[in-house]
Amino acid sequence: MERKQVLVPEADLARQRDFEEKIKAMFAGRQAHPVACVDTFGCQQNVADGQKLMGMLQDCGFTLTEEPAQADLVILNTCAVREHAEDRVFGNLGALTHAKKENPEMVIALCGCMAQESRVSERIKKSYPLVNLVFGPHALWKFPELLWQVYESRKRVFSVDDEHGTIAEGIPVVREKGVKAWVSIMYGCNNFCAYCIVPYVRGRERSRDPQCVLREVRELVEAGYKDITLLGQNVNSYGNDLGIGYDFADLLADVDKIPGEYLIRFISSHPKDATKKLFDTMARCPHVAKQLHLPVQSGNDRVLKEMNRRYTREKYLELINYAKSVMPGLVMTSDIIIGFPGETEEEAMDTVSLVEEVGFDALFTFIYSPRPGTKAAEMPDPATRAEKQKWFDKLLETQNAMSAKLHAAYIGKTVRALVDGESDDPAFPLTARTEGNRLVRLKGDKALIGQFIDVRITDSNTWALYGEPV
Ligand code: 5AD
Ligand code: SF4
C-alpha cells in the first residue's frame, strides 16, 4: 500500500517560525511583556497538544501563567467527548468575556475538539463576539500564523475547515517538569464507535514515522524523563497506514532497546486490534510497564454490537486471560459506558458481572452522553437518568470493593516505585507510582523525587497504597 503524503512540508513549518518572530517583534515594540494561559480540558492527547501550543507561545515571546485573568492571551484547549466537558467550556467562556470587558486588549482563543464541531464554531460566531480565534486540531501547527492574523487584522479568525489530517514534526514542546512525558505516536481514529465524536473531530488515523518516535523517546530518556506514555486513540492500529509491515508491537520492542532507567506505558488500546504478539512483546520487554488499559465499554454482546465495537465479551475475556497468562501480576484498567441508548438493566448488569470477572485494578466510568452527529445520538434512549444513575452506582460500588481488595493484597509486600512528587499530607509527604501505575502515598525525603526505589506497603484503601522506603 502506498502511503498518502500526510507530513506538513518543512517549508510550511518554517513559515510558522517566521510568524513567531513577527509576533515577538511586535511585542518588543510595546512596553508590556506578554503573558499567555493555555487551559486544557480532556484527554492526554489534548494535554500533549497543549504542550505544543505552549512551546509555540514561548517562541512568540510569551511567558506562561495558569491564571487566565492575568493573561493577555487565553487559549481554551477543549474536549468534546461528553456534554459536561462542553458545558464547562461555555461556562469558562462566559467568565472570560466578562474579564475581557475589564481588559479589552485580551485575546481569547478556542481550539481542540469542540472547535472542530461546526455546531460549536457557529455558536461562537453568533453568540460569543469577544472570542478572537477558533481553530481545530487540524490547524494546530499553524497557530503562529493564525495568531499573527488576529493581531494584524484585528478581525476574528476561524480556521475550522475539515482539512485532510496531517502530521507536523518538530513543533516545540513545553514539557511538564518532573519525570512524566507523553509522546503522540499517531493521530485520529478510524473506528466510529457509535457514541464517539472523536473520528469526526480528529480525522482518520495517521501514524508518525517510527524513527521520529524513537528519536523523541531517546531524547526524553536522555533528558531524565522516567515515565513515558505513548499516545494514540487506538495505538494497536499504529502502522496500518504506513504500509511497511511495522506494527505497534514492533515499535514497543524498538523503544525498549533504548538504554536507560525508565518505564514505557501506552494509551489507549482497542480490544479488536490487540494481539497476542503485543502481549508477548510487553512480557519480554523490561522497560514496558506491566500495565494494560483496555477499554471494554460494555459486558453485553448486543450493546457491544450496537456500539460498533467489533468484539464480544468472550473475545475480550480471552484476550485478558492470555495477557494475564504471559504477564502474571498485570495491572488492568478499562473504560466503561453505562446507559448507552436502548441498554436495559439486565444488560448493564452484564457489564457489572464482567467487571467482577476480570478484576480490574481501576476503572474510568461514564454515563452515556449523546454527541450530536454520532450514530448513537439518533437511537431511541428510553431509560431514565435516574435508572442509569442506579446502574452506574452499582458499577462503582462493585469496582470500589474490587480496587480496595486488590490494593489490600499489596500490604506487607515490597514493590518498586517511581517517586514522582510531593503531597500535602504531612504524614506521607511524597507520591510515587508502581510499575502498574498504582498511586503510593509515601514517607520519606524530597530528595527521593525522580528515583525508582523499593517501597514497603504498610496500608491501603480504594484509591491508594501507603508505604515507606525500604
Ligand atoms: N458518552 C460517554 N462516554 C463516552 N466516551 C466516549 N464517548 C462517550 C460518550 N458519548 C468514553 C469512552 C472512551 C472514553 C475516553 O470516553 O469510554 O473510552
Ligand atoms: Fe472513540 Fe472508539 Fe475511536 Fe476510541 S476507538 S476514539 S471510543 S471511536
Side-chain angles (χ1 to χ4, degrees):
M1 185 182 74
E2 189 64 21
R3 173 160 147 104
K4 284 195 307 280
Q5 181 51 42
V6 296
L7 273 184
V8 177
E10 293 241 341
D12 290 355
L13 286 171
R15 270 181 59 229
Q16 297 307 314
R17 309 289 84 84
D18 294 342
F19 285 110
E20 289 173 353
E21 289 307 318
K22 282 186 178 182
I23 293 170
K24 208 174 192 171
M26 177 194 82
F27 278 112
R30 300 181 185 179
Q31 262 182 336
H33 201 67
V35 179
C37 172
V38 180
D39 197 359
T40 294
F41 299 76
C43 67
Q44 281 312 326
Q45 185 63 59
N46 247 22
V47 173
D49 285 354
Q51 294 181 339
K52 288 183 184 160
L53 281 168
M54 289 192 273
M56 292 186 274
L57 283 165
Q58 277 191 347
D59 286 1
C60 291
F62 284 86
T63 51
L64 299 169
T65 174
E66 289 182 4
E67 270 306 313
Q70 287 165 13
D72 305 293
L73 164 63
V74 180
I75 305 179
L76 297 184
N77 183 22
T78 65
C79 169
V81 146
R82 281 170 293 274
E83 195 175 4
H84 176 69
E86 287 203 2
D87 291 345
R88 275 179 56 210
V89 167
F90 280 110
N92 279 21
L93 267 186
L96 275 180
T97 50
H98 196 74
K100 186 162 173 172
K101 283 181 185 139
E102 307 277 305
N103 172 15
E105 291 297 303
M106 181 191 260
V107 168
I108 302 176
L110 186 128
C111 67
C113 290
M114 272 173 79
Q116 198 68 45
E117 292 182 281
S118 52
R119 179 176 59 85
V120 171
S121 61
E122 287 307 314
R123 180 168 164 194
I124 302 273
K125 228 176 229 168
K126 287 202 188 82
S127 312
Y128 293 84
L130 296 182
V131 174
N132 306 78
L133 169 60
V134 178
F135 60 103
H138 298 312
L140 185 83
W141 65 273
K142 53 179 150 174
F143 167 67
E145 178 173 0
L146 301 173
L147 186 61
W148 173 251
Q149 282 172 17
V150 170
Y151 282 123
E152 199 196 34
S153 71
R154 288 277 146 195
K155 287 198 186 116
R156 308 178 76 197
V157 175
F158 285 76
S159 181
V160 292
D161 296 343
D162 217 352
E163 295 169 41
H164 222 70
T166 52
I167 294 180
E169 290 292 350
I171 295 182
V173 180
V174 174
R175 305 261 176 204
E176 211 173 276
K177 287 199 182 66
V179 292
K180 285 183 207 212
W182 285 270
V183 176
S184 297
I185 63 166
M186 60 190 300
Y187 304 93
C189 182
N190 289 356
N191 291 314
F192 290 93
C193 300
Y195 49 81
C196 186
I197 194 73
V198 168
Y200 300 91
V201 291
R202 292 227 171 229
R204 295 296 70 71
E205 283 171 4
R206 56 250 183 235
S207 304
R208 285 179 70 195
D209 181 278
Q211 293 311 324
C212 293
V213 175
L214 291 171
R215 192 182 320 127
E216 188 170 341
V217 176
R218 196 172 300 119
E219 285 168 3
L220 289 169
V221 171
E222 282 165 7
Y225 287 95
K226 294 194 156 50
D227 188 331
I228 299 168
T229 305
L230 306 180
L231 292 178
Q233 303 302 337
N234 172 16
V235 294
N236 294 339
S237 56
Y238 174 83
N240 287 354
D241 59 319
L242 292 173
I244 55 172
Y246 187 89
D247 66 13
F248 181 59
D250 298 325
L251 181 70
L252 261 191
D254 281 342
V255 169
D256 184 68
K257 290 181 197 142
I258 296 171
E261 196 186 28
Y262 65 94
L263 280 176
I264 285 288
R265 309 181 193 279
F266 55 89
I267 46 172
S268 252
S269 288
H270 195 308
K272 85 174 163 55
D273 301 312
T275 58
K276 291 189 173 170
K277 175 180 172 189
L278 170 66
F279 299 140
D280 292 340
T281 306
M282 288 175 74
R284 76 177 153 78
C285 288
H287 289 114
V288 178
K290 304 304 175 265
Q291 173 212 350
L292 183 64
H293 180 67
L294 195 63
V296 65
Q297 313 296 358
S298 165
N300 175 273
D301 285 345
R302 189 197 69 82
V303 175
L304 285 171
K305 190 151 196 286
E306 288 292 299
M307 285 178 162
N308 191 30
R309 292 290 289 177
R310 289 174 277 172
Y311 54 84
T312 59
R313 177 185 177 114
E314 194 188 330
K315 168 85 195 308
Y316 185 86
L317 287 171
E318 198 184 295
L319 274 175
I320 289 274
N321 286 336
Y322 183 79
K324 277 188 194 167
S325 74
V326 293
M327 290 176 278
L330 178 70
V331 168
M332 281 177 312
T333 55
S334 197
D335 292 349
I336 302 268
I337 298 176
I338 286 287
F340 183 79
E343 186 173 62
T344 64
E345 175 157 6
E346 208 184 333
E347 290 167 340
M349 291 311 115
D350 283 345
T351 302
V352 174
S353 81
L354 176 98
V355 162
E356 272 176 320
E357 193 169 339
V358 174
F360 293 108
D361 293 74
L363 282 183
F364 299 88
T365 50
F366 310 101
I367 290 186
Y368 168 73
S369 169
R371 306 286 61 219
T374 61
K375 220 170 148 211
E378 308 298 318
M379 297 177 182
D381 189 4
T384 64
R385 174 79 200 190
E387 283 174 292
K388 293 183 181 187
Q389 188 66 50
K390 194 181 84 188
W391 309 339
F392 186 79
D393 292 345
K394 175 74 190 156
L395 175 68
L396 278 195
E397 191 190 306
T398 306
Q399 181 55 44
N400 287 348
M402 179 63 73
S403 295
K405 185 174 129 193
L406 292 174
H407 281 169
Y410 283 85
I411 297 175
K413 291 193 177 145
T414 296
V415 295
R416 185 169 170 254
L418 174 61
V419 186
D420 62 359
E422 291 179 76
S423 87
D424 41 22
D425 178 352
F428 293 92
L430 299 176
T431 59
R433 290 277 169 177
T434 66
E435 183 179 326
N437 215 17
R438 301 293 80 217
L439 173 65
V440 187
R441 302 202 169 275
L442 193 67
K443 294 198 161 121
D445 192 84
K446 266 203 300 203
L448 292 173
I449 293 176
Q451 294 180 35
F452 284 98
I453 60 166
D454 282 335
V455 173
R456 203 174 69 84
I457 303 301
T458 53
D459 200 0
S460 75
N461 61 25
T462 304
W463 296 277
L465 308 172
Y466 291 79
E468 54 198 23
V470 181

Short mmCIF file of all heavy atoms in Angstrom, two decimals, residues 43 80-83 194-198 233 268 293 295-297 309 334-338 364-371 374 376, ligand 1:
data_model
loop_
_atom_site.label_atom_id
_atom_site.label_comp_id
_atom_site.label_asym_id
_atom_site.label_seq_id
_atom_site.Cartn_x
_atom_site.Cartn_y
_atom_site.Cartn_z
N CYS A 43 -8.48 14.71 27.44
CA CYS A 43 -7.58 13.56 27.50
C CYS A 43 -6.10 13.95 27.38
O CYS A 43 -5.76 15.10 27.15
CB CYS A 43 -7.94 12.58 26.39
SG CYS A 43 -7.60 13.26 24.75
N ALA A 80 -14.53 17.40 23.47
CA ALA A 80 -15.92 17.27 23.02
C ALA A 80 -16.52 15.91 23.33
O ALA A 80 -17.60 15.57 22.86
CB ALA A 80 -15.98 17.51 21.51
N VAL A 81 -15.81 15.11 24.14
CA VAL A 81 -16.20 13.72 24.30
C VAL A 81 -17.52 13.55 25.06
O VAL A 81 -18.30 12.66 24.77
CB VAL A 81 -15.03 12.91 24.90
CG1 VAL A 81 -15.49 11.81 25.82
CG2 VAL A 81 -14.22 12.31 23.78
N ARG A 82 -17.76 14.44 26.03
CA ARG A 82 -19.04 14.39 26.75
C ARG A 82 -19.59 15.81 26.90
O ARG A 82 -18.85 16.79 26.88
CB ARG A 82 -18.86 13.75 28.13
CG ARG A 82 -18.79 12.23 28.08
CD ARG A 82 -18.39 11.63 29.40
NE ARG A 82 -17.01 11.99 29.71
CZ ARG A 82 -15.94 11.32 29.28
NH1 ARG A 82 -16.10 10.24 28.57
NH2 ARG A 82 -14.73 11.71 29.57
N GLU A 83 -20.92 15.86 27.08
CA GLU A 83 -21.59 17.15 27.13
C GLU A 83 -21.07 18.00 28.29
O GLU A 83 -20.89 19.21 28.17
CB GLU A 83 -23.09 16.92 27.30
CG GLU A 83 -23.93 18.13 27.02
CD GLU A 83 -25.42 17.79 27.09
OE1 GLU A 83 -25.76 16.64 27.44
OE2 GLU A 83 -26.21 18.69 26.82
N ALA A 194 -20.24 3.96 17.94
CA ALA A 194 -21.47 4.69 17.66
C ALA A 194 -21.67 5.93 18.55
O ALA A 194 -22.34 6.88 18.17
CB ALA A 194 -22.66 3.75 17.80
N TYR A 195 -21.07 5.91 19.76
CA TYR A 195 -21.28 7.01 20.71
C TYR A 195 -20.25 8.12 20.58
O TYR A 195 -20.38 9.15 21.22
CB TYR A 195 -21.21 6.45 22.15
CG TYR A 195 -19.98 5.59 22.37
CD1 TYR A 195 -18.74 6.17 22.62
CD2 TYR A 195 -20.04 4.20 22.24
CE1 TYR A 195 -17.60 5.40 22.76
CE2 TYR A 195 -18.90 3.42 22.38
CZ TYR A 195 -17.68 4.03 22.62
OH TYR A 195 -16.56 3.27 22.73
N CYS A 196 -19.21 7.92 19.77
CA CYS A 196 -18.00 8.73 19.94
C CYS A 196 -17.82 9.81 18.87
O CYS A 196 -17.96 9.56 17.68
CB CYS A 196 -16.79 7.81 19.95
SG CYS A 196 -15.27 8.68 20.33
N ILE A 197 -17.45 10.99 19.31
CA ILE A 197 -17.29 12.13 18.41
C ILE A 197 -15.87 12.21 17.83
O ILE A 197 -15.63 12.90 16.83
CB ILE A 197 -17.64 13.44 19.19
CG1 ILE A 197 -17.83 14.65 18.26
CG2 ILE A 197 -16.60 13.77 20.24
CD1 ILE A 197 -19.09 14.65 17.47
N VAL A 198 -14.94 11.48 18.45
CA VAL A 198 -13.52 11.66 18.10
C VAL A 198 -13.21 11.53 16.60
O VAL A 198 -12.52 12.39 16.04
CB VAL A 198 -12.63 10.71 18.95
CG1 VAL A 198 -11.21 10.65 18.42
CG2 VAL A 198 -12.62 11.19 20.40
N GLN A 233 -5.37 7.40 19.83
CA GLN A 233 -6.75 6.99 20.14
C GLN A 233 -6.85 5.48 20.16
O GLN A 233 -7.65 4.91 20.88
CB GLN A 233 -7.74 7.55 19.11
CG GLN A 233 -7.73 9.05 18.97
CD GLN A 233 -8.03 9.76 20.25
OE1 GLN A 233 -8.65 9.20 21.17
NE2 GLN A 233 -7.58 10.99 20.37
N SER A 268 -4.52 4.74 24.11
CA SER A 268 -5.42 3.68 24.51
C SER A 268 -5.34 2.53 23.51
O SER A 268 -4.88 2.73 22.41
CB SER A 268 -6.85 4.22 24.48
OG SER A 268 -7.38 4.40 25.74
N HIS A 293 -4.29 -0.75 29.79
CA HIS A 293 -5.58 -0.06 29.78
C HIS A 293 -6.31 -0.50 28.51
O HIS A 293 -5.92 -0.13 27.41
CB HIS A 293 -5.37 1.46 29.78
CG HIS A 293 -6.66 2.22 29.78
ND1 HIS A 293 -7.53 2.20 30.85
CD2 HIS A 293 -7.24 3.00 28.84
CE1 HIS A 293 -8.60 2.93 30.56
NE2 HIS A 293 -8.44 3.43 29.35
N PRO A 295 -9.99 -0.51 27.08
CA PRO A 295 -11.40 -0.12 27.26
C PRO A 295 -12.36 -1.19 26.73
O PRO A 295 -12.25 -1.59 25.58
CB PRO A 295 -11.51 1.17 26.43
CG PRO A 295 -10.12 1.71 26.39
CD PRO A 295 -9.24 0.49 26.31
N VAL A 296 -13.26 -1.64 27.58
CA VAL A 296 -14.22 -2.67 27.17
C VAL A 296 -15.57 -2.04 26.86
O VAL A 296 -16.32 -2.56 26.04
CB VAL A 296 -14.32 -3.79 28.24
CG1 VAL A 296 -14.90 -3.29 29.54
CG2 VAL A 296 -15.14 -4.95 27.73
N GLN A 297 -15.91 -0.96 27.51
CA GLN A 297 -17.14 -0.17 27.31
C GLN A 297 -18.40 -0.86 27.80
O GLN A 297 -19.23 -0.25 28.45
CB GLN A 297 -17.34 0.28 25.85
CG GLN A 297 -16.12 0.87 25.17
CD GLN A 297 -15.59 2.18 25.78
OE1 GLN A 297 -16.17 2.69 26.72
NE2 GLN A 297 -14.50 2.70 25.25
N ARG A 309 -18.38 -2.00 18.34
CA ARG A 309 -17.05 -2.26 18.92
C ARG A 309 -16.33 -3.42 18.24
O ARG A 309 -15.12 -3.58 18.39
CB ARG A 309 -17.18 -2.51 20.42
CG ARG A 309 -17.59 -1.28 21.21
CD ARG A 309 -16.49 -0.25 21.25
NE ARG A 309 -15.38 -0.65 22.09
CZ ARG A 309 -14.26 0.07 22.24
NH1 ARG A 309 -14.11 1.20 21.58
NH2 ARG A 309 -13.29 -0.35 23.02
N SER A 334 -9.78 -0.06 32.65
CA SER A 334 -10.67 -0.05 31.49
C SER A 334 -11.57 1.19 31.52
O SER A 334 -11.65 1.88 32.53
CB SER A 334 -11.51 -1.33 31.49
OG SER A 334 -12.10 -1.55 30.24
N ASP A 335 -12.23 1.44 30.39
CA ASP A 335 -13.26 2.47 30.30
C ASP A 335 -14.61 1.78 30.15
O ASP A 335 -14.72 0.80 29.41
CB ASP A 335 -13.08 3.35 29.06
CG ASP A 335 -11.85 4.22 29.11
OD1 ASP A 335 -11.22 4.32 30.16
OD2 ASP A 335 -11.51 4.81 28.05
N ILE A 336 -15.63 2.32 30.81
CA ILE A 336 -16.98 1.74 30.74
C ILE A 336 -17.99 2.85 30.49
O ILE A 336 -17.91 3.92 31.11
CB ILE A 336 -17.36 1.08 32.09
CG1 ILE A 336 -16.36 0.00 32.48
CG2 ILE A 336 -18.80 0.58 32.06
CD1 ILE A 336 -16.67 -1.38 32.06
N ILE A 337 -18.96 2.55 29.62
CA ILE A 337 -20.09 3.47 29.45
C ILE A 337 -21.35 2.78 29.94
O ILE A 337 -21.65 1.67 29.51
CB ILE A 337 -20.27 3.88 27.97
CG1 ILE A 337 -19.03 4.61 27.47
CG2 ILE A 337 -21.53 4.74 27.80
CD1 ILE A 337 -19.08 4.97 26.00
N ILE A 338 -22.05 3.43 30.84
CA ILE A 338 -23.35 2.92 31.32
C ILE A 338 -24.45 3.76 30.67
O ILE A 338 -24.31 4.99 30.54
CB ILE A 338 -23.42 3.04 32.87
CG1 ILE A 338 -22.54 1.97 33.54
CG2 ILE A 338 -24.86 2.95 33.38
CD1 ILE A 338 -23.07 0.56 33.48
N PHE A 364 -12.37 3.76 34.55
CA PHE A 364 -12.87 5.09 34.20
C PHE A 364 -14.30 4.88 33.73
O PHE A 364 -14.53 4.22 32.72
CB PHE A 364 -12.01 5.73 33.11
CG PHE A 364 -10.59 5.90 33.55
CD1 PHE A 364 -9.66 4.88 33.37
CD2 PHE A 364 -10.19 7.07 34.17
CE1 PHE A 364 -8.36 5.03 33.80
CE2 PHE A 364 -8.89 7.23 34.61
CZ PHE A 364 -7.96 6.21 34.43
N THR A 365 -15.26 5.39 34.51
CA THR A 365 -16.66 5.07 34.25
C THR A 365 -17.43 6.32 33.82
O THR A 365 -17.22 7.41 34.37
CB THR A 365 -17.31 4.51 35.52
OG1 THR A 365 -17.01 5.41 36.60
CG2 THR A 365 -16.77 3.14 35.86
N PHE A 366 -18.29 6.15 32.85
CA PHE A 366 -19.04 7.29 32.31
C PHE A 366 -20.50 6.91 32.11
O PHE A 366 -20.80 5.79 31.73
CB PHE A 366 -18.46 7.71 30.95
CG PHE A 366 -16.97 7.88 30.97
CD1 PHE A 366 -16.13 6.89 30.47
CD2 PHE A 366 -16.39 9.00 31.54
CE1 PHE A 366 -14.75 7.03 30.52
CE2 PHE A 366 -15.02 9.16 31.59
CZ PHE A 366 -14.19 8.18 31.07
N ILE A 367 -21.38 7.89 32.35
CA ILE A 367 -22.77 7.71 31.92
C ILE A 367 -22.84 8.25 30.50
O ILE A 367 -22.26 9.30 30.19
CB ILE A 367 -23.73 8.45 32.87
CG1 ILE A 367 -23.75 7.73 34.23
CG2 ILE A 367 -25.15 8.50 32.26
CD1 ILE A 367 -24.76 8.26 35.22
N TYR A 368 -23.50 7.51 29.62
CA TYR A 368 -23.57 7.88 28.21
C TYR A 368 -24.04 9.33 28.04
O TYR A 368 -25.01 9.76 28.68
CB TYR A 368 -24.53 6.93 27.48
CG TYR A 368 -24.87 7.42 26.09
CD1 TYR A 368 -23.94 7.37 25.07
CD2 TYR A 368 -26.12 7.98 25.83
CE1 TYR A 368 -24.23 7.86 23.81
CE2 TYR A 368 -26.43 8.47 24.57
CZ TYR A 368 -25.47 8.40 23.57
OH TYR A 368 -25.77 8.90 22.33
N SER A 369 -23.35 10.03 27.16
CA SER A 369 -23.70 11.42 26.88
C SER A 369 -23.89 11.56 25.37
O SER A 369 -22.96 11.27 24.61
CB SER A 369 -22.53 12.30 27.37
OG SER A 369 -22.66 13.60 26.93
N PRO A 370 -25.10 11.94 24.91
CA PRO A 370 -25.31 11.99 23.45
C PRO A 370 -24.47 13.07 22.79
O PRO A 370 -24.41 14.19 23.28
CB PRO A 370 -26.81 12.30 23.32
CG PRO A 370 -27.30 12.65 24.67
CD PRO A 370 -26.27 12.30 25.69
N ARG A 371 -23.79 12.73 21.70
CA ARG A 371 -22.97 13.68 20.96
C ARG A 371 -23.60 13.93 19.59
O ARG A 371 -23.60 13.01 18.74
CB ARG A 371 -21.53 13.15 20.78
CG ARG A 371 -20.80 12.75 22.03
CD ARG A 371 -20.33 13.92 22.89
NE ARG A 371 -21.38 14.77 23.38
CZ ARG A 371 -21.29 16.11 23.46
NH1 ARG A 371 -20.23 16.73 23.03
NH2 ARG A 371 -22.27 16.82 23.95
N THR A 374 -23.24 11.86 15.96
CA THR A 374 -22.87 10.44 16.03
C THR A 374 -24.12 9.58 15.81
O THR A 374 -25.24 10.06 15.94
CB THR A 374 -22.28 10.09 17.41
OG1 THR A 374 -23.27 10.34 18.42
CG2 THR A 374 -21.04 10.91 17.71
N ALA A 376 -25.20 7.04 17.61
CA ALA A 376 -25.96 6.74 18.84
C ALA A 376 -26.91 7.88 19.20
O ALA A 376 -27.96 7.65 19.81
CB ALA A 376 -25.01 6.46 19.99
N1 5AD B 1 -20.59 9.33 26.39
C1 5AD B 1 -19.97 8.81 27.47
N2 5AD B 1 -18.71 8.38 27.44
C2 5AD B 1 -18.04 8.46 26.27
N3 5AD B 1 -16.78 8.11 25.94
C3 5AD B 1 -16.59 8.41 24.64
N4 5AD B 1 -17.71 8.96 24.12
C4 5AD B 1 -18.63 8.99 25.12
C5 5AD B 1 -19.98 9.43 25.20
N5 5AD B 1 -20.61 9.94 24.14
C6 5AD B 1 -15.87 7.46 26.87
C7 5AD B 1 -15.43 6.08 26.39
C8 5AD B 1 -14.00 6.31 25.94
C9 5AD B 1 -13.57 7.39 26.91
C10 5AD B 1 -12.35 8.14 26.51
O1 5AD B 1 -14.68 8.25 26.99
O2 5AD B 1 -15.48 5.19 27.47
O3 5AD B 1 -13.21 5.15 26.03
#
